[in-house]
Amino acid sequence: MNFKHAWQSQLSYILLSVGYFALGKLLTSFAFQDQVLPIWLPAGIGLVGMFIWGWRFIPGLGVASAAFNWTTAHGWSVSTLSIANVVEVGIIASGAILQALIGGYLLRAWLGHPLHLKSRLHIAYFIGLIGIAINLVSANIGVFALSFYHPEYSFANHWNNMLAWWLGDSLGVLIATPALLILLQPWFANSEKLNNVASTFSACLVLCLSVALTTFLYNQSNIKSANLNAKREVQIIENIVYRYINQSMLAIQALASQLQAREAFTQQEFEEIALYLKSQYTFLRALSWNEQISSEQRSQLNQQLAALYGDDVKIKGEPIQPNDPLVVVKYIVPLNGNAGALGFNVFSKESRRQAIINASSKTEPQASDIVYLVQDSRPAPSYLLFSPVFAQTPSGQERTIKGYATAVVQVETLLAEALKQAQAQLFNVAFYDVSNNGIFYKNFGPEQLIDEDNKKVVTLFVAGQKWRMELSVKEEYASRLNQQLTLMLLILQLSITALIVYILLLFNYQHHALNTLVEQRTRSLAKAKQQSDRANQAKSRFLANMSHEIRTPLNAVIGFASLASSSHNNRELRDYIKKIGSASKTLLNLVNDILDIAKIESNRLQIDEHPFDLQALLSRIDTMFSSSAQSKNIVWQVVHNLPGPTWVLGDEMRLEQILINLCSNAIKFTQRGSVIFDVEAQYGTKQVDLIFSVTDTGIGIESEKQQTIFNAFSQADNSTSRRYGGTGLGLAIAKELSELMGGKLSLKSEVAQGSSFTLTISLLNASAQSKQIEHVDTSQIHCLRVLVAEDNPVNQLVIKAMLSSFDIQHTVVTNGQQAIEAVKSEEFDVVLMDCQMPIMDGYQATAAIRQFKGVDELPIVALTADVMPEDKAHAIAIGFNRHLAKPLERDKLAVCLANYC
């Protein structure tokens, strides 16, 4: 593609390069999760750039693509510059370059301008190959680079990511390419005019907006649906978390019930009960028996602890209030890892003191706030559950608390099992202790956060404590859900867009084709009108020439006939009659020429091939024109290289007709100098290649008119017919006859220097034929009785005069019906039947006669002006014996009748 001015090319190059980057940044701001773009218009910019400039657009596209990918992944800072990051950006840019380069090359070398495609098939190739298939190049290379270098991508999702990239590129190419070419069209030089510019550009713009808007709305609908689904999932998670918390309360209640049923129990009995419960509930970090004593009983319990665990274990933790009892950890399971808790006064911690007070007042398990067990290698969040155990007292007395069954519930284990059962892996979940607003459990890593805009908050009441559960749908889950649905939408949109673009390009192609066809038809009509005008002028000249040509011999016929009627001199009469005969033959030749051209134009002229002697033909032509040339004082010469009689297979009459026409014209248009008729024969095994040349020194023909003289009714100029005569049919007939015989007629001529007509033809060799001279005895025809059926009075007089000159008895009737009656009533030797008569024509009459008179019984000769070959064949098929053409000659009539003597 070339621009009108160099500055337009340079400015377009810069605009497309910058537009790739700017449009990419604009579209990225509307990207969905995982950078899913509904339409990537820069792919169309790259294709158009490669189509216009070819490989010269590689630097612009490479820089634009690299800049876009770098700023999108790493921002405007160069602090993250590294070889890996540069390679990643370079690979993605190379994919965009390779894709655009392939598409641009196919357009430049094969399909052509997308808005001037040559056929419907080319439009389909552009849509399917350039617009869709080739975009797999950049998609696969780009996603491979991201999967290899970018942590948010993985090879497991290669095909989904590639599909999203490919669909966006395909939509961008199909929509942006026509629109950009329309915008740049005014700057292109020598470009075809675009059709439907406004409608095509508007359709591309509407397609772009509709794809983006539809995808955005659809994505929003998907997000709304995902949020509704998340709301249901949150309720499920809440219920399951509550169920697991209740299980922890059931566990401690079961322990308390077991201890309540025993007035006293040993360490071993406690361990048996605790180990069984711990095996049932994996989230139980430890179970303990916390015995409640007064300050006075402190030494006694110390002794018991020392007896159980050694002197190192003593009560520790002073009461907060002077009157507070001591709640001391006496037994704990498992002991390993929890021995440090033995002897600990739980009542010494305010949060635990309050939980114990609540448990005793409500007589049900109560929880402490979240505590972190320091005995673990990593402080693990837990909470303590206290369930009161009452001493057995006589009925009617107030019950006293003996101690508290205590459970250390490991939060991570409990919540992990609860969230696993609730299938909460789709959510980022965090639990907070409301008392200190500190997070004590989450199921996501440090690189992820709760989405503050879309989070769900649930308050949980855990045995007297309040927790806050915050949830938000994980970004990868929302992305995956939306991406799948969005990809399905993009596939549908790509199909619709491809169909619409195909229709637009097809409409543009048909409009262009229609305009081209109209222009061609207009030119054809103009050319046809010119040809028609020239033909009308030629026919007008022909009619004028023909009028002159016919009137000239007709004037001689009429003039000499009038002179003969007034003359009594026999010598003068014979001279007048001779001249009348010559003029009549001239008229007959004119009519024959007209018939020949009519048969040629209707493709009914047939070539009759038979053996003939070429040397004899040349001798006849020499004899025919030698006297004419001598009378004009010009040299006439026949030159040939024939060794002797040369027999060939061909149409002797038509070949002679061509040569006579060429020689006649040469002599007619030559006033001085010579006419040379040259024949060159090249003998082969099966054929003879002949070159007939007729060269004269006459007036010559102008070069621009040398082709027109072979057209019917044409001569070199209007003055030719006035000066030399002629109808303008001879050369047209000669050319058509030469082509029918497989030859070629050509011309070389210079004005005032002369002309040379050359006929080149090949004829098959033929064996020599013995010459048979037909001798017909006409002396006995006076014995014949002839019936003549003729309606024209003048023709009746002519035929009667001819028959009378032979002393033949004849009867004349005027129609076919009378001829039938005459044949029935009288005996005749021959019937001369005109074919065109009133009442009943000759064909009908002959058919009727043949019903009772056979061909051998009564000869019937067709006497008619119908001389076409098909007319003769029709006459023989009806039942005629022979055919005599009008105008009738006396000698031919005599020969015909002599066959029936």
Side-chain angles (χ1 to χ4, degrees):
M1 299 294 294
N2 296 319
F3 287 82
K4 295 177 181 177
H5 305 286
W7 66 267
Q8 293 174 336
S9 176
Q10 296 167 1
L11 181 59
S12 299
Y13 191 104
I14 295 172
L15 288 175
L16 289 182
S17 300
V18 174
Y20 186 101
F21 174 82
L23 194 57
K25 299 301 288 184
L26 177 65
L27 291 172
T28 303
S29 62
F30 296 100
F32 308 125
Q33 292 88 348
D34 281 350
Q35 298 296 302
V36 176
L37 290 166
I39 179 172
W40 184 244
L41 296 175
I45 295 177
L47 176 65
V48 171
M50 288 298 182
F51 171 58
I52 296 175
W53 292 284
W55 61 267
R56 291 172 295 173
F57 192 65
I58 291 178
L61 178 58
V63 171
S65 177
F68 166 77
N69 287 290
W70 180 269
T71 55
T72 301
H74 309 290
W76 297 94
S77 174
V78 295
S79 59
T80 57
L81 186 65
S82 65
I83 295 177
N85 291 340
V86 171
V87 170
E88 175 193 357
V89 170
I91 292 175
I92 297 174
S94 66
I97 292 172
L98 182 60
Q99 173 178 294
L101 192 62
I102 295 173
Y105 174 78
L106 291 177
L107 288 178
R108 291 165 64 92
W110 175 37
L111 291 179
H113 197 297
L115 297 178
H116 298 302
L117 296 173
K118 302 174 184 178
S119 67
R120 294 177 179 86
L121 187 59
H122 283 74
I123 297 174
Y125 283 142
F126 171 75
I127 299 292
L129 187 60
I130 307 298
I132 297 177
I134 291 178
N135 298 313
L136 291 168
V137 174
S138 177
N140 278 284
I141 294 176
V143 171
F144 173 81
L146 289 175
S147 300
F148 194 84
Y149 290 101
H150 207 285
E152 294 184 5
Y153 289 80
S154 65
F155 287 104
N157 294 325
H158 174 85
W159 294 112
N160 283 336
N161 296 328
M162 184 278 297
L163 186 61
W165 191 314
W166 172 59
L167 291 172
D169 275 16
S170 298
L171 286 167
V173 168
L174 291 176
I175 294 174
T177 301
L180 288 173
L181 290 174
I182 288 174
L183 292 176
L184 294 174
Q185 181 67 22
W187 286 1
F188 290 148
N190 302 322
S191 61
E192 298 182 37
K193 181 181 178 182
L194 292 178
N195 301 304
N196 311 306
V197 173
S199 60
T200 303
F201 185 81
S202 300
C204 291
L205 183 61
V206 170
L207 275 175
C208 180
L209 295 176
S210 63
V211 168
L213 183 60
T214 303
T215 309
F216 176 77
L217 294 176
Y218 194 73
N219 184 70
Q220 292 300 310
S221 176
N222 290 339
I223 293 175
K224 184 177 180 181
S225 176
N227 288 333
L228 290 175
N229 185 51
K231 187 175 182 180
R232 291 191 298 269
E233 292 293 331
V234 167
Q235 293 176 348
I236 295 173
I237 293 172
E238 179 183 0
N239 293 334
I240 293 178
V241 169
Y242 265 126
R243 189 174 71 187
Y244 271 81
I245 292 173
N246 291 335
Q247 286 180 1
S248 69
M249 296 177 67
L250 290 174
I252 196 60
Q253 283 179 332
L255 177 61
S257 298
Q258 292 284 346
L259 299 178
Q260 181 77 41
R262 292 174 171 83
E263 182 176 354
F265 51 86
T266 65
Q267 180 185 14
Q268 184 178 359
E269 290 175 335
F270 176 80
E271 287 180 355
E272 290 176 358
I273 299 171
L275 288 173
Y276 173 77
L277 291 174
K278 193 173 184 302
S279 66
Q280 298 297 312
Y281 302 99
T282 58
F283 49 78
L284 294 177
R285 174 70 174 80
L287 292 172
S288 68
W289 164 245
N290 299 346
E291 188 171 325
Q292 180 174 308
I293 62 174
S294 63
S295 299
E296 293 77 11
Q297 297 173 314
R298 182 168 185 166
S299 60
Q300 181 181 355
L301 184 57
N302 275 329
Q303 292 175 3
Q304 294 176 5
L305 292 175
L308 290 171
Y309 306 109
D311 294 336
D312 294 335
V313 178
K314 297 179 180 181
I315 297 174
K316 45 187 176 291
E318 297 302 322
I320 297 176
Q321 298 293 332
N323 297 326
D324 284 347
L326 280 69
V327 180
V328 180
V329 178
K330 185 177 182 180
Y331 304 138
I332 191 167
V333 175
L335 182 61
N336 185 25
N338 296 303
L342 290 172
F344 180 70
N345 178 19
V346 183
F347 225 63
S348 64
K349 297 289 186 179
E350 179 59 35
S351 61
R352 303 174 194 182
R353 175 178 179 274
Q354 188 61 46
I356 292 171
I357 292 172
N358 292 336
S360 61
S361 63
K362 296 181 180 180
T363 66
E364 63 181 17
Q366 293 293 302
S368 69
D369 57 1
I370 298 298
V371 298
Y372 290 89
L373 302 177
V374 295
Q375 59 266 39
D376 289 343
S377 58
R378 179 180 63 85
S382 303
Y383 65 91
L384 304 178
L385 273 176
F386 300 97
S387 182
V389 176
F390 295 93
Q392 296 179 359
T393 59
S395 60
Q397 294 184 6
E398 184 180 354
R399 292 190 302 173
T400 60
I401 295 177
K402 185 167 57 173
Y404 296 89
T406 305
V408 180
V409 180
Q410 199 163 10
V411 173
E412 288 183 346
T413 305
L414 182 142
L415 293 181
E417 291 184 3
L419 294 180
K420 181 178 180 181
Q421 186 173 354
Q423 297 181 351
Q425 67 273 17
L426 306 179
F427 296 88
N428 285 335
V429 185
F431 289 86
Y432 295 82
D433 190 346
V434 176
S435 61
N436 57 22
N437 202 34
I439 186 169
F440 61 85
Y441 177 81
K442 62 179 181 179
N443 67 343
F444 51 88
E447 72 280 357
Q448 295 177 310
L449 296 173
I450 295 289
D451 185 358
E452 294 295 329
D453 295 330
N454 298 307
K455 71 179 180 180
K456 308 292 186 299
V457 179
V458 178
T459 300
L460 300 174
F461 297 93
V462 182
Q465 298 294 327
K466 290 175 65 176
W467 293 355
R468 187 174 73 252
M469 180 174 64
E470 294 185 359
L471 308 93
S472 67
V473 178
K474 288 185 178 180
E475 184 178 353
E476 57 268 25
Y477 165 70
S479 173
R480 185 166 62 252
L481 177 64
N482 293 331
Q483 185 181 27
Q484 290 174 354
L485 296 174
T486 303
L487 289 178
M488 293 176 61
L489 176 63
L490 290 177
I491 291 173
L492 177 61
Q493 288 178 331
L494 178 60
S495 302
I496 295 174
T497 300
L499 178 61
I500 292 175
V501 172
Y502 179 84
I503 293 172
L504 284 174
L505 296 180
L506 180 62
F507 184 73
N508 188 72
Y509 158 74
Q510 290 178 333
H511 195 283
H512 176 71
L514 181 61
N515 288 342
T516 303
L517 183 60
V518 169
E519 292 176 0
Q520 291 175 349
R521 292 291 175 87
T522 302
R523 289 194 297 268
S524 298
L525 288 174
K527 186 176 180 180
K529 185 178 182 302
Q530 293 175 356
Q531 293 175 345
S532 176
D533 291 341
R534 288 196 297 268
N536 288 333
Q537 293 173 2
K539 289 185 178 181
S540 297
R541 291 194 302 268
F542 166 73
L543 291 175
N545 295 344
M546 189 60 67
S547 175
H548 176 269
E549 292 297 315
I550 291 176
R551 287 176 181 274
T552 299
L554 191 59
N555 180 64
V557 171
I558 296 173
F560 286 121
S562 62
L563 290 173
S565 64
S566 62
S567 176
H568 301 285
N569 188 317
N570 290 336
R571 174 182 257 177
E572 288 182 350
L573 284 174
R574 280 195 294 271
D575 185 53
Y576 292 157
I577 292 171
K578 182 178 179 181
K579 291 177 179 178
I580 289 172
S582 177
S584 299
K585 290 181 178 179
T586 301
L587 280 173
L588 182 60
N589 289 333
L590 288 174
V591 173
N592 287 336
D593 281 349
I594 295 173
L595 291 176
D596 282 344
I597 199 67
K599 284 187 280 186
I600 289 172
E601 290 183 348
S602 62
N603 295 320
R604 292 190 299 173
L605 190 137
Q606 301 293 327
I607 299 299
D608 179 24
E609 294 185 344
H610 59 275
F612 68 92
D613 184 5
L614 187 59
Q615 191 176 50
L617 185 148
L618 299 180
S619 298
R620 290 198 301 272
I621 293 176
D622 187 18
T623 302
M624 190 179 303
F625 292 104
S626 59
S627 59
S628 300
Q630 186 177 1
S631 65
K632 295 186 68 174
N633 293 321
I634 59 176
V635 175
W636 163 259
Q637 187 176 5
V638 177
V639 179
H640 64 82
N641 65 344
L642 302 181
T646 303
W647 289 86
V648 292
L649 185 65
D651 193 329
E652 180 182 15
M653 182 187 74
R654 294 302 182 184
L655 180 60
E656 186 174 0
Q657 183 179 356
I658 296 171
L659 297 176
I660 288 174
N661 183 277
L662 297 180
C663 294
S664 175
N665 283 343
I667 290 177
K668 179 168 64 173
F669 294 110
T670 302
Q671 302 303 319
R672 60 180 178 274
S674 62
V675 175
I676 307 299
F677 179 32
D678 181 79
V679 182
E680 181 180 347
Q682 296 179 357
Y683 294 91
T685 56
K686 293 184 178 181
Q687 65 182 27
V688 180
D689 297 328
L690 299 169
I691 301 176
F692 300 93
S693 298
V694 179
T695 306
D696 63 65
T697 57
I699 60 175
I701 304 170
E702 297 179 5
S703 58
E704 62 271 12
K705 296 180 180 179
Q706 290 181 13
Q707 291 299 324
T708 61
I709 65 170
F710 290 108
N711 298 333
F713 318 119
S714 297
Q715 291 182 324
D717 56 52
N718 293 334
S719 64
T720 303
S721 61
R722 293 196 299 271
R723 182 176 179 184
Y724 297 100
T727 61
L729 295 177
L731 287 177
I733 295 172
K735 183 174 178 63
E736 293 293 340
L737 289 176
S738 64
E739 291 177 354
L740 283 174
M741 292 189 293
K744 180 181 179 182
L745 183 60
S746 58
L747 164 65
K748 291 182 180 179
S749 181
E750 293 184 17
V751 177
Q753 298 296 320
S755 304
S756 177
F757 288 86
T758 301
L759 172 63
T760 304
I761 191 171
S762 297
L763 299 176
L764 295 175
N765 293 323
S767 57
Q769 306 290 312
S770 58
K771 190 173 181 181
Q772 297 179 351
I773 301 176
E774 184 179 4
H775 295 282
V776 179
D777 184 9
T778 61
S779 61
Q780 302 298 321
I781 62 176
H782 64 278
C783 299
L784 296 173
R785 296 182 69 244
V786 178
L787 173 63
V788 179
E790 173 63 62
D791 63 312
N792 187 276
V794 175
N795 290 339
Q796 287 179 356
L797 292 175
V798 172
I799 192 65
K800 285 194 293 184
M802 288 184 180
L803 293 174
S804 297
S805 67
F806 298 127
D807 293 330
I808 295 176
Q809 298 181 18
H810 57 272
T811 300
V812 179
V813 296
T814 58
N815 59 62
Q817 185 62 48
Q818 293 178 357
I820 295 173
E821 295 173 356
V823 169
K824 288 181 178 179
S825 60
E826 299 183 45
E827 292 292 331
F828 295 100
D829 297 312
V830 180
V831 177
L832 299 178
M833 181 79 73
D834 183 25
C835 292
Q836 305 296 332
M837 293 183 294
I839 301 177
M840 181 181 289
D841 62 29
Y843 296 113
Q844 295 172 328
T846 300
I849 292 172
R850 287 303 178 215
Q851 293 181 1
F852 60 90
K853 288 283 188 179
V855 175
D856 297 330
E857 293 181 74
L858 179 62
I860 302 176
V861 178
L863 192 63
T864 178
D866 297 333
V867 295
M868 295 294 185
E870 60 269 21
D871 297 326
K872 295 180 181 179
H874 178 62
I876 299 300
I878 289 295
F880 286 98
N881 293 72
R882 299 191 69 170
H883 186 282
L884 281 178
K886 292 180 180 179
L888 186 61
E889 296 182 21
R890 181 176 179 274
D891 293 341
K892 291 183 179 180
L893 177 61
V895 172
C896 178
L897 294 175
N899 288 286
Y900 306 110
C901 292

